[in-house]
Short mmCIF file of all heavy atoms in Angstrom, two decimals:
data_model
loop_
_atom_site.label_atom_id
_atom_site.label_comp_id
_atom_site.label_asym_id
_atom_site.label_seq_id
_atom_site.Cartn_x
_atom_site.Cartn_y
_atom_site.Cartn_z
N TYR A 1 19.07 -2.01 19.26
CA TYR A 1 19.30 -2.27 17.85
C TYR A 1 18.98 -1.01 17.04
O TYR A 1 18.10 -1.02 16.18
CB TYR A 1 18.48 -3.44 17.38
CG TYR A 1 18.84 -4.73 18.08
CD1 TYR A 1 18.27 -5.09 19.29
CD2 TYR A 1 19.77 -5.58 17.51
CE1 TYR A 1 18.61 -6.26 19.92
CE2 TYR A 1 20.12 -6.76 18.13
CZ TYR A 1 19.54 -7.10 19.34
OH TYR A 1 19.88 -8.27 19.94
N SER A 2 19.65 0.06 17.30
CA SER A 2 19.33 1.32 16.64
C SER A 2 19.64 1.29 15.15
O SER A 2 19.13 2.12 14.41
CB SER A 2 20.08 2.46 17.30
OG SER A 2 21.48 2.23 17.18
N ASP A 3 20.47 0.37 14.68
CA ASP A 3 20.77 0.32 13.26
C ASP A 3 19.87 -0.66 12.51
O ASP A 3 20.11 -0.95 11.34
CB ASP A 3 22.24 -0.02 13.03
CG ASP A 3 22.65 -1.35 13.65
OD1 ASP A 3 21.92 -1.84 14.54
OD2 ASP A 3 23.70 -1.89 13.27
N HIS A 4 18.82 -1.16 13.16
CA HIS A 4 17.89 -2.08 12.55
C HIS A 4 16.48 -1.51 12.61
O HIS A 4 16.15 -0.77 13.53
CB HIS A 4 17.90 -3.44 13.27
CG HIS A 4 19.20 -4.15 13.15
ND1 HIS A 4 20.25 -3.92 13.99
CD2 HIS A 4 19.62 -5.09 12.27
CE1 HIS A 4 21.27 -4.69 13.66
NE2 HIS A 4 20.91 -5.41 12.61
N TYR A 5 15.69 -1.85 11.66
CA TYR A 5 14.29 -1.46 11.69
C TYR A 5 13.48 -2.53 10.98
O TYR A 5 14.02 -3.41 10.33
CB TYR A 5 14.07 -0.09 11.03
CG TYR A 5 14.37 -0.07 9.54
CD1 TYR A 5 13.35 -0.29 8.62
CD2 TYR A 5 15.65 0.16 9.07
CE1 TYR A 5 13.61 -0.31 7.27
CE2 TYR A 5 15.91 0.16 7.71
CZ TYR A 5 14.89 -0.07 6.82
OH TYR A 5 15.16 -0.07 5.48
N GLY A 6 12.19 -2.45 11.11
CA GLY A 6 11.32 -3.41 10.46
C GLY A 6 9.97 -2.79 10.17
O GLY A 6 9.69 -1.67 10.59
N ILE A 7 9.17 -3.52 9.45
CA ILE A 7 7.81 -3.09 9.19
C ILE A 7 6.87 -4.25 9.52
O ILE A 7 7.27 -5.40 9.49
CB ILE A 7 7.59 -2.64 7.73
CG1 ILE A 7 7.85 -3.80 6.76
CG2 ILE A 7 8.46 -1.44 7.39
CD1 ILE A 7 7.41 -3.52 5.36
N GLU A 8 5.65 -3.92 9.85
CA GLU A 8 4.62 -4.93 10.06
C GLU A 8 3.61 -4.72 8.97
O GLU A 8 3.11 -3.61 8.77
CB GLU A 8 4.00 -4.76 11.44
CG GLU A 8 3.12 -5.92 11.87
CD GLU A 8 1.73 -5.89 11.27
OE1 GLU A 8 1.13 -4.81 11.18
OE2 GLU A 8 1.24 -6.98 10.88
N THR A 9 3.33 -5.75 8.22
CA THR A 9 2.36 -5.64 7.13
C THR A 9 1.51 -6.90 7.06
O THR A 9 1.80 -7.89 7.75
CB THR A 9 3.07 -5.36 5.79
OG1 THR A 9 2.10 -4.99 4.82
CG2 THR A 9 3.88 -6.54 5.32
N ASP A 10 0.50 -6.84 6.27
CA ASP A 10 -0.37 -7.99 6.03
C ASP A 10 -0.46 -8.22 4.54
O ASP A 10 -0.14 -7.34 3.73
CB ASP A 10 -1.77 -7.73 6.59
CG ASP A 10 -1.75 -7.53 8.10
OD1 ASP A 10 -1.25 -8.44 8.79
OD2 ASP A 10 -2.20 -6.49 8.58
N VAL A 11 -0.89 -9.40 4.16
CA VAL A 11 -1.08 -9.74 2.75
C VAL A 11 -2.57 -9.80 2.48
O VAL A 11 -3.32 -10.49 3.18
CB VAL A 11 -0.42 -11.09 2.40
CG1 VAL A 11 -0.63 -11.43 0.94
CG2 VAL A 11 1.06 -11.07 2.75
N HIS A 12 -3.00 -9.05 1.47
CA HIS A 12 -4.41 -9.02 1.08
C HIS A 12 -4.51 -9.48 -0.37
O HIS A 12 -3.55 -9.37 -1.13
CB HIS A 12 -4.97 -7.60 1.21
CG HIS A 12 -4.86 -7.05 2.59
ND1 HIS A 12 -5.81 -7.26 3.56
CD2 HIS A 12 -3.89 -6.30 3.17
CE1 HIS A 12 -5.43 -6.66 4.68
NE2 HIS A 12 -4.27 -6.06 4.46
N LEU A 13 -5.68 -9.94 -0.76
CA LEU A 13 -5.91 -10.37 -2.13
C LEU A 13 -6.83 -9.36 -2.81
O LEU A 13 -7.91 -9.04 -2.29
CB LEU A 13 -6.56 -11.74 -2.13
CG LEU A 13 -6.56 -12.53 -3.43
CD1 LEU A 13 -5.13 -12.79 -3.92
CD2 LEU A 13 -7.29 -13.84 -3.25
N SER A 14 -6.38 -8.83 -3.96
CA SER A 14 -7.21 -7.89 -4.71
C SER A 14 -8.35 -8.64 -5.38
O SER A 14 -8.35 -9.86 -5.47
CB SER A 14 -6.37 -7.15 -5.75
OG SER A 14 -5.95 -8.04 -6.77
N ARG A 15 -9.31 -7.88 -5.88
CA ARG A 15 -10.48 -8.48 -6.53
C ARG A 15 -10.08 -9.35 -7.72
O ARG A 15 -10.71 -10.38 -8.00
CB ARG A 15 -11.45 -7.39 -6.97
CG ARG A 15 -12.77 -7.94 -7.50
CD ARG A 15 -13.75 -6.86 -7.83
NE ARG A 15 -13.36 -6.25 -9.10
CZ ARG A 15 -13.63 -5.02 -9.46
NH1 ARG A 15 -14.28 -4.21 -8.64
NH2 ARG A 15 -13.25 -4.56 -10.64
N ASP A 16 -8.98 -8.97 -8.39
CA ASP A 16 -8.55 -9.74 -9.55
C ASP A 16 -7.42 -10.71 -9.24
O ASP A 16 -6.76 -11.22 -10.14
CB ASP A 16 -8.19 -8.82 -10.72
CG ASP A 16 -7.21 -7.72 -10.35
OD1 ASP A 16 -6.89 -7.56 -9.16
OD2 ASP A 16 -6.76 -6.99 -11.26
N GLY A 17 -7.22 -11.02 -7.95
CA GLY A 17 -6.35 -12.11 -7.56
C GLY A 17 -4.88 -11.80 -7.32
O GLY A 17 -4.07 -12.70 -7.22
N TYR A 18 -4.52 -10.52 -7.17
CA TYR A 18 -3.13 -10.16 -6.89
C TYR A 18 -2.90 -10.03 -5.38
O TYR A 18 -3.79 -9.56 -4.66
CB TYR A 18 -2.77 -8.83 -7.57
CG TYR A 18 -2.61 -8.96 -9.06
CD1 TYR A 18 -3.70 -8.75 -9.90
CD2 TYR A 18 -1.39 -9.28 -9.62
CE1 TYR A 18 -3.57 -8.88 -11.27
CE2 TYR A 18 -1.24 -9.41 -10.98
CZ TYR A 18 -2.33 -9.21 -11.80
OH TYR A 18 -2.19 -9.33 -13.16
N PHE A 19 -1.72 -10.42 -4.92
CA PHE A 19 -1.35 -10.23 -3.53
C PHE A 19 -0.93 -8.78 -3.34
O PHE A 19 -0.12 -8.25 -4.11
CB PHE A 19 -0.20 -11.15 -3.12
CG PHE A 19 -0.57 -12.60 -3.11
CD1 PHE A 19 -0.09 -13.46 -4.07
CD2 PHE A 19 -1.43 -13.10 -2.13
CE1 PHE A 19 -0.44 -14.80 -4.06
CE2 PHE A 19 -1.78 -14.43 -2.11
CZ PHE A 19 -1.29 -15.28 -3.08
N ILE A 20 -1.48 -8.15 -2.31
CA ILE A 20 -1.19 -6.76 -2.01
C ILE A 20 -0.66 -6.68 -0.57
O ILE A 20 -1.32 -7.16 0.36
CB ILE A 20 -2.46 -5.88 -2.13
CG1 ILE A 20 -3.12 -6.03 -3.50
CG2 ILE A 20 -2.14 -4.42 -1.80
CD1 ILE A 20 -2.28 -5.57 -4.67
N LEU A 21 0.52 -6.12 -0.39
CA LEU A 21 1.08 -5.93 0.94
C LEU A 21 0.65 -4.58 1.47
O LEU A 21 0.98 -3.53 0.90
CB LEU A 21 2.61 -6.00 0.90
CG LEU A 21 3.21 -7.31 0.41
CD1 LEU A 21 4.73 -7.20 0.38
CD2 LEU A 21 2.77 -8.46 1.29
N ASN A 22 -0.11 -4.57 2.54
CA ASN A 22 -0.58 -3.34 3.17
C ASN A 22 -1.00 -3.67 4.59
O ASN A 22 -1.61 -4.71 4.84
CB ASN A 22 -1.76 -2.75 2.38
CG ASN A 22 -2.03 -1.31 2.76
OD1 ASN A 22 -1.15 -0.47 2.66
ND2 ASN A 22 -3.24 -1.03 3.19
N HIS A 23 -0.71 -2.82 5.53
CA HIS A 23 -1.03 -3.08 6.93
C HIS A 23 -2.54 -3.20 7.15
O HIS A 23 -3.00 -4.09 7.83
CB HIS A 23 -0.44 -1.99 7.81
CG HIS A 23 -0.75 -2.16 9.27
ND1 HIS A 23 -0.16 -3.16 10.02
CD2 HIS A 23 -1.58 -1.51 10.09
CE1 HIS A 23 -0.61 -3.10 11.27
NE2 HIS A 23 -1.48 -2.10 11.32
N ASP A 24 -3.30 -2.29 6.55
CA ASP A 24 -4.76 -2.28 6.73
C ASP A 24 -5.46 -2.91 5.52
O ASP A 24 -4.85 -3.11 4.49
CB ASP A 24 -5.25 -0.84 6.90
CG ASP A 24 -4.61 -0.16 8.09
OD1 ASP A 24 -4.52 -0.79 9.17
OD2 ASP A 24 -4.18 1.01 7.96
N ASP A 25 -6.75 -3.17 5.67
CA ASP A 25 -7.50 -3.74 4.55
C ASP A 25 -8.02 -2.69 3.59
O ASP A 25 -8.76 -2.97 2.67
CB ASP A 25 -8.63 -4.65 5.05
CG ASP A 25 -9.70 -3.89 5.81
OD1 ASP A 25 -9.50 -2.69 6.11
OD2 ASP A 25 -10.74 -4.50 6.10
N ASN A 26 -7.63 -1.44 3.81
CA ASN A 26 -7.94 -0.33 2.90
C ASN A 26 -6.79 0.69 2.98
O ASN A 26 -5.80 0.44 3.67
CB ASN A 26 -9.29 0.30 3.23
CG ASN A 26 -9.33 0.92 4.62
OD1 ASN A 26 -8.36 1.52 5.08
ND2 ASN A 26 -10.45 0.77 5.30
N PHE A 27 -6.94 1.82 2.30
CA PHE A 27 -5.87 2.81 2.27
C PHE A 27 -6.30 4.12 2.94
O PHE A 27 -5.77 5.19 2.64
CB PHE A 27 -5.44 3.07 0.82
CG PHE A 27 -4.89 1.84 0.15
CD1 PHE A 27 -5.67 1.11 -0.72
CD2 PHE A 27 -3.61 1.40 0.43
CE1 PHE A 27 -5.18 -0.04 -1.34
CE2 PHE A 27 -3.10 0.24 -0.16
CZ PHE A 27 -3.90 -0.47 -1.05
N SER A 28 -7.25 4.05 3.85
CA SER A 28 -7.77 5.27 4.47
C SER A 28 -6.71 6.02 5.27
O SER A 28 -6.67 7.25 5.22
CB SER A 28 -9.00 4.97 5.34
OG SER A 28 -8.64 4.12 6.41
N ARG A 29 -5.85 5.33 5.97
CA ARG A 29 -4.84 6.00 6.79
C ARG A 29 -3.75 6.67 5.96
O ARG A 29 -3.22 7.70 6.37
CB ARG A 29 -4.16 4.99 7.73
CG ARG A 29 -4.66 5.08 9.13
CD ARG A 29 -3.82 4.35 10.12
NE ARG A 29 -3.45 3.01 9.72
CZ ARG A 29 -2.39 2.38 10.20
NH1 ARG A 29 -1.61 2.97 11.07
NH2 ARG A 29 -2.12 1.15 9.82
N VAL A 30 -3.42 6.09 4.83
CA VAL A 30 -2.29 6.60 4.05
C VAL A 30 -2.70 7.38 2.81
O VAL A 30 -1.86 8.05 2.20
CB VAL A 30 -1.33 5.46 3.66
CG1 VAL A 30 -0.68 4.85 4.88
CG2 VAL A 30 -2.04 4.41 2.84
N ALA A 31 -3.99 7.31 2.44
CA ALA A 31 -4.41 8.01 1.23
C ALA A 31 -5.86 8.51 1.29
O ALA A 31 -6.33 9.10 0.34
CB ALA A 31 -4.25 7.11 0.02
N GLY A 32 -6.56 8.26 2.39
CA GLY A 32 -7.94 8.69 2.51
C GLY A 32 -8.93 7.90 1.68
O GLY A 32 -10.06 8.31 1.49
N ASP A 33 -8.54 6.72 1.21
CA ASP A 33 -9.41 5.88 0.37
C ASP A 33 -9.90 4.71 1.21
O ASP A 33 -9.13 3.87 1.65
CB ASP A 33 -8.61 5.36 -0.83
CG ASP A 33 -9.50 4.75 -1.89
OD1 ASP A 33 -10.47 4.03 -1.54
OD2 ASP A 33 -9.22 4.96 -3.08
N GLU A 34 -11.21 4.67 1.46
CA GLU A 34 -11.78 3.66 2.36
C GLU A 34 -12.26 2.39 1.65
O GLU A 34 -12.76 1.48 2.30
CB GLU A 34 -12.92 4.29 3.15
CG GLU A 34 -12.42 5.47 3.96
CD GLU A 34 -13.15 5.67 5.27
OE1 GLU A 34 -13.96 4.82 5.66
OE2 GLU A 34 -12.87 6.70 5.89
N ARG A 35 -12.07 2.32 0.34
CA ARG A 35 -12.47 1.09 -0.35
C ARG A 35 -11.61 -0.08 0.14
O ARG A 35 -10.43 0.07 0.43
CB ARG A 35 -12.26 1.23 -1.87
CG ARG A 35 -13.19 2.22 -2.52
CD ARG A 35 -12.88 2.39 -3.98
NE ARG A 35 -11.59 3.06 -4.16
CZ ARG A 35 -10.98 3.20 -5.32
NH1 ARG A 35 -11.53 2.70 -6.42
NH2 ARG A 35 -9.82 3.83 -5.40
N LYS A 36 -12.23 -1.25 0.25
CA LYS A 36 -11.51 -2.45 0.69
C LYS A 36 -10.63 -2.96 -0.44
O LYS A 36 -11.02 -2.95 -1.61
CB LYS A 36 -12.51 -3.56 1.08
CG LYS A 36 -13.44 -3.19 2.21
CD LYS A 36 -12.73 -3.31 3.52
CE LYS A 36 -13.72 -3.11 4.65
NZ LYS A 36 -13.07 -2.97 5.92
N ILE A 37 -9.44 -3.42 -0.10
CA ILE A 37 -8.52 -3.98 -1.09
C ILE A 37 -9.18 -5.13 -1.84
O ILE A 37 -9.05 -5.24 -3.06
CB ILE A 37 -7.22 -4.43 -0.42
CG1 ILE A 37 -6.43 -3.21 0.07
CG2 ILE A 37 -6.38 -5.29 -1.36
CD1 ILE A 37 -5.23 -3.52 0.93
N ALA A 38 -9.93 -5.94 -1.14
CA ALA A 38 -10.59 -7.10 -1.76
C ALA A 38 -11.62 -6.69 -2.81
O ALA A 38 -11.98 -7.49 -3.67
CB ALA A 38 -11.27 -7.95 -0.68
N ASP A 39 -12.09 -5.45 -2.76
CA ASP A 39 -13.07 -4.96 -3.72
C ASP A 39 -12.44 -4.19 -4.88
O ASP A 39 -13.14 -3.71 -5.76
CB ASP A 39 -14.08 -4.04 -3.01
CG ASP A 39 -14.90 -4.76 -1.97
OD1 ASP A 39 -15.08 -5.99 -2.09
OD2 ASP A 39 -15.36 -4.10 -1.02
N MET A 40 -11.12 -4.08 -4.88
CA MET A 40 -10.42 -3.28 -5.89
C MET A 40 -9.56 -4.16 -6.79
O MET A 40 -9.06 -5.19 -6.35
CB MET A 40 -9.52 -2.25 -5.20
CG MET A 40 -10.26 -1.29 -4.31
SD MET A 40 -9.14 -0.23 -3.39
CE MET A 40 -8.52 0.79 -4.71
N THR A 41 -9.36 -3.72 -8.03
CA THR A 41 -8.44 -4.41 -8.93
C THR A 41 -7.04 -3.84 -8.73
O THR A 41 -6.86 -2.76 -8.15
CB THR A 41 -8.83 -4.20 -10.41
OG1 THR A 41 -8.71 -2.82 -10.73
CG2 THR A 41 -10.24 -4.69 -10.68
N LEU A 42 -6.04 -4.55 -9.22
CA LEU A 42 -4.67 -4.07 -9.12
C LEU A 42 -4.53 -2.72 -9.81
O LEU A 42 -3.88 -1.82 -9.29
CB LEU A 42 -3.70 -5.08 -9.74
CG LEU A 42 -2.23 -4.68 -9.72
CD1 LEU A 42 -1.72 -4.51 -8.29
CD2 LEU A 42 -1.39 -5.70 -10.48
N ASP A 43 -5.16 -2.55 -10.95
CA ASP A 43 -5.09 -1.28 -11.67
C ASP A 43 -5.64 -0.14 -10.82
O ASP A 43 -5.04 0.95 -10.75
CB ASP A 43 -5.87 -1.39 -12.99
CG ASP A 43 -5.74 -0.13 -13.83
OD1 ASP A 43 -4.59 0.23 -14.16
OD2 ASP A 43 -6.78 0.48 -14.15
N GLU A 44 -6.74 -0.36 -10.14
CA GLU A 44 -7.30 0.67 -9.25
C GLU A 44 -6.36 0.99 -8.10
O GLU A 44 -6.17 2.16 -7.74
CB GLU A 44 -8.66 0.23 -8.70
CG GLU A 44 -9.74 0.12 -9.74
CD GLU A 44 -11.00 -0.54 -9.22
OE1 GLU A 44 -10.91 -1.53 -8.45
OE2 GLU A 44 -12.09 -0.06 -9.58
N ILE A 45 -5.76 -0.03 -7.53
CA ILE A 45 -4.84 0.15 -6.41
C ILE A 45 -3.61 0.93 -6.85
O ILE A 45 -3.15 1.83 -6.15
CB ILE A 45 -4.45 -1.21 -5.81
CG1 ILE A 45 -5.67 -1.84 -5.13
CG2 ILE A 45 -3.28 -1.07 -4.82
CD1 ILE A 45 -5.50 -3.30 -4.76
N GLN A 46 -3.10 0.63 -8.03
CA GLN A 46 -1.90 1.31 -8.51
C GLN A 46 -2.14 2.78 -8.79
O GLN A 46 -1.20 3.57 -8.82
CB GLN A 46 -1.36 0.61 -9.75
CG GLN A 46 -0.74 -0.72 -9.42
CD GLN A 46 -0.25 -1.45 -10.64
OE1 GLN A 46 -0.78 -1.30 -11.74
NE2 GLN A 46 0.79 -2.25 -10.45
N LYS A 47 -3.37 3.18 -8.95
CA LYS A 47 -3.69 4.59 -9.20
C LYS A 47 -3.85 5.41 -7.92
O LYS A 47 -3.94 6.63 -7.97
CB LYS A 47 -4.96 4.69 -10.04
CG LYS A 47 -4.73 4.19 -11.45
CD LYS A 47 -6.00 4.23 -12.27
CE LYS A 47 -5.72 3.68 -13.67
NZ LYS A 47 -6.94 3.53 -14.45
N ILE A 48 -3.88 4.75 -6.78
CA ILE A 48 -4.00 5.46 -5.50
C ILE A 48 -2.70 6.21 -5.22
O ILE A 48 -1.62 5.68 -5.42
CB ILE A 48 -4.30 4.47 -4.35
CG1 ILE A 48 -5.68 3.86 -4.53
CG2 ILE A 48 -4.19 5.16 -2.99
CD1 ILE A 48 -5.99 2.77 -3.53
N VAL A 49 -2.83 7.43 -4.79
CA VAL A 49 -1.66 8.24 -4.46
C VAL A 49 -1.44 8.21 -2.96
O VAL A 49 -2.31 8.58 -2.18
CB VAL A 49 -1.84 9.69 -4.96
CG1 VAL A 49 -0.65 10.54 -4.56
CG2 VAL A 49 -2.03 9.71 -6.46
N LEU A 50 -0.26 7.71 -2.55
CA LEU A 50 0.11 7.64 -1.14
C LEU A 50 1.06 8.77 -0.81
O LEU A 50 1.75 9.30 -1.69
CB LEU A 50 0.80 6.31 -0.85
CG LEU A 50 0.07 5.03 -1.19
CD1 LEU A 50 0.95 3.82 -0.89
CD2 LEU A 50 -1.23 4.94 -0.44
N LEU A 51 1.13 9.12 0.45
CA LEU A 51 2.11 10.11 0.89
C LEU A 51 3.29 9.36 1.47
O LEU A 51 3.17 8.64 2.45
CB LEU A 51 1.50 11.04 1.94
CG LEU A 51 2.35 12.22 2.36
CD1 LEU A 51 2.68 13.09 1.15
CD2 LEU A 51 1.63 13.04 3.41
N GLY A 52 4.46 9.51 0.86
CA GLY A 52 5.67 8.83 1.31
C GLY A 52 6.24 9.44 2.57
O GLY A 52 5.89 10.55 2.98
N LYS A 53 7.15 8.73 3.19
CA LYS A 53 7.80 9.21 4.41
C LYS A 53 8.55 10.52 4.17
O LYS A 53 8.69 11.34 5.06
CB LYS A 53 8.77 8.13 4.90
CG LYS A 53 9.35 8.38 6.27
CD LYS A 53 10.18 7.20 6.72
CE LYS A 53 10.74 7.44 8.10
NZ LYS A 53 11.55 6.31 8.56
N ASP A 54 9.00 10.72 2.94
CA ASP A 54 9.72 11.94 2.58
C ASP A 54 8.78 13.10 2.26
O ASP A 54 9.23 14.18 1.89
CB ASP A 54 10.64 11.68 1.40
CG ASP A 54 9.91 11.16 0.17
OD1 ASP A 54 8.67 11.07 0.20
OD2 ASP A 54 10.58 10.85 -0.83
N GLY A 55 7.47 12.88 2.40
CA GLY A 55 6.49 13.93 2.15
C GLY A 55 6.06 14.05 0.70
O GLY A 55 5.19 14.85 0.38
N LYS A 56 6.63 13.25 -0.18
CA LYS A 56 6.28 13.29 -1.60
C LYS A 56 5.19 12.27 -1.88
O LYS A 56 5.15 11.20 -1.28
CB LYS A 56 7.49 12.99 -2.46
CG LYS A 56 8.58 14.04 -2.34
CD LYS A 56 9.76 13.70 -3.21
CE LYS A 56 10.85 14.74 -3.05
NZ LYS A 56 12.05 14.38 -3.84
N LYS A 57 4.32 12.60 -2.83
CA LYS A 57 3.27 11.67 -3.23
C LYS A 57 3.86 10.56 -4.07
O LYS A 57 4.72 10.79 -4.92
CB LYS A 57 2.19 12.42 -4.01
CG LYS A 57 1.41 13.38 -3.16
CD LYS A 57 0.34 14.08 -3.94
CE LYS A 57 -0.45 15.00 -3.04
NZ LYS A 57 -1.50 15.71 -3.78
N LYS A 58 3.39 9.33 -3.81
CA LYS A 58 3.90 8.16 -4.54
C LYS A 58 2.73 7.26 -4.91
O LYS A 58 1.77 7.15 -4.16
CB LYS A 58 4.88 7.39 -3.66
CG LYS A 58 6.09 8.22 -3.26
CD LYS A 58 7.11 7.35 -2.59
CE LYS A 58 8.31 8.14 -2.15
NZ LYS A 58 9.14 8.64 -3.22
N ARG A 59 2.85 6.61 -6.03
CA ARG A 59 1.87 5.59 -6.40
C ARG A 59 2.13 4.35 -5.56
O ARG A 59 3.23 4.11 -5.09
CB ARG A 59 2.00 5.24 -7.89
CG ARG A 59 1.72 6.41 -8.80
CD ARG A 59 0.25 6.57 -9.01
NE ARG A 59 0.01 7.67 -9.93
CZ ARG A 59 -1.12 8.29 -10.01
NH1 ARG A 59 -2.13 7.94 -9.26
NH2 ARG A 59 -1.30 9.27 -10.86
N HIS A 60 1.11 3.50 -5.38
CA HIS A 60 1.25 2.31 -4.54
C HIS A 60 2.38 1.40 -4.98
O HIS A 60 3.12 0.87 -4.19
CB HIS A 60 -0.08 1.53 -4.52
CG HIS A 60 -0.11 0.47 -3.46
ND1 HIS A 60 0.21 -0.82 -3.72
CD2 HIS A 60 -0.42 0.54 -2.16
CE1 HIS A 60 0.11 -1.52 -2.61
NE2 HIS A 60 -0.27 -0.73 -1.67
N ARG A 61 2.56 1.24 -6.28
CA ARG A 61 3.60 0.34 -6.78
C ARG A 61 4.98 0.86 -6.48
O ARG A 61 5.97 0.14 -6.60
CB ARG A 61 3.43 0.10 -8.28
CG ARG A 61 3.62 1.33 -9.13
CD ARG A 61 3.45 0.99 -10.61
NE ARG A 61 3.38 2.19 -11.39
CZ ARG A 61 2.28 2.71 -11.89
NH1 ARG A 61 1.12 2.11 -11.66
NH2 ARG A 61 2.29 3.81 -12.60
N GLN A 62 5.12 2.12 -6.06
CA GLN A 62 6.40 2.71 -5.73
C GLN A 62 6.63 2.77 -4.22
O GLN A 62 7.60 3.34 -3.77
CB GLN A 62 6.50 4.14 -6.28
CG GLN A 62 6.37 4.22 -7.78
CD GLN A 62 6.20 5.65 -8.25
OE1 GLN A 62 5.55 6.45 -7.62
NE2 GLN A 62 6.80 5.96 -9.37
N CYS A 63 5.77 2.16 -3.46
CA CYS A 63 5.80 2.32 -2.00
C CYS A 63 7.11 1.85 -1.40
O CYS A 63 7.55 2.39 -0.40
CB CYS A 63 4.63 1.59 -1.37
SG CYS A 63 4.43 1.98 0.37
N HIS A 64 7.75 0.83 -1.97
CA HIS A 64 9.00 0.36 -1.42
C HIS A 64 10.04 1.48 -1.36
O HIS A 64 10.96 1.44 -0.57
CB HIS A 64 9.54 -0.82 -2.23
CG HIS A 64 9.93 -0.48 -3.63
ND1 HIS A 64 9.01 -0.36 -4.63
CD2 HIS A 64 11.14 -0.20 -4.16
CE1 HIS A 64 9.64 -0.02 -5.74
NE2 HIS A 64 10.92 0.09 -5.49
N LYS A 65 9.87 2.51 -2.17
CA LYS A 65 10.79 3.65 -2.17
C LYS A 65 10.53 4.62 -1.00
O LYS A 65 11.26 5.54 -0.78
CB LYS A 65 10.71 4.39 -3.49
CG LYS A 65 11.14 3.55 -4.68
CD LYS A 65 10.99 4.31 -5.97
CE LYS A 65 11.35 3.42 -7.15
NZ LYS A 65 11.13 4.09 -8.44
N CYS A 66 9.42 4.38 -0.29
CA CYS A 66 9.06 5.26 0.84
C CYS A 66 9.93 4.99 2.06
O CYS A 66 10.04 5.82 2.94
CB CYS A 66 7.60 5.04 1.25
SG CYS A 66 6.39 5.44 -0.02
N PHE A 67 10.53 3.83 2.13
CA PHE A 67 11.26 3.43 3.33
C PHE A 67 12.74 3.66 3.22
O PHE A 67 13.36 3.50 2.25
CB PHE A 67 10.98 1.94 3.63
CG PHE A 67 9.54 1.68 3.84
CD1 PHE A 67 8.76 1.13 2.84
CD2 PHE A 67 8.93 2.01 5.03
CE1 PHE A 67 7.42 0.88 3.03
CE2 PHE A 67 7.59 1.79 5.24
CZ PHE A 67 6.84 1.22 4.22
#
């Protein structure tokens, strides 16, 4: 199935009750931030800078553009 792909992710709950899709319970692998998602607010999460597949920095809310 070379023309198909998928992702594996988990659903986490932020400190202020938002659902966050992320494979790990923190962002250490993709942004070097080891804080737990459950301890962060959505506003804090949205300020994290991730490195996209294209090598460009992206905010968490823009992650769908990484794929």
Side-chain angles (χ1 to χ4, degrees):
Y1 298 86
S2 61
D3 58 342
H4 295 85
Y5 66 93
I7 62 168
E8 191 280 319
T9 191
D10 298 304
V11 179
H12 302 274
L13 196 60
S14 68
R15 187 175 78 207
D16 51 353
Y18 287 91
F19 292 109
I20 305 297
L21 299 178
N22 196 58
H23 179 72
D24 300 316
D25 65 351
N26 63 38
F27 299 101
S28 63
R29 258 193 314 157
V30 295
D33 193 320
E34 301 212 9
R35 292 176 291 172
K36 299 281 187 190
I37 291 171
D39 296 334
M40 300 173 70
T41 64
L42 179 62
D43 185 58
E44 292 171 320
I45 292 167
Q46 289 178 330
K47 291 177 181 172
I48 293 174
V49 177
L50 304 178
L51 187 58
K53 189 174 182 180
D54 58 4
K56 295 180 182 177
K57 292 182 178 179
K58 300 189 182 290
R59 298 277 182 200
H60 192 265
R61 65 179 169 257
Q62 300 169 323
C63 191
H64 66 280
K65 297 177 183 176
C66 298
F67 301 101

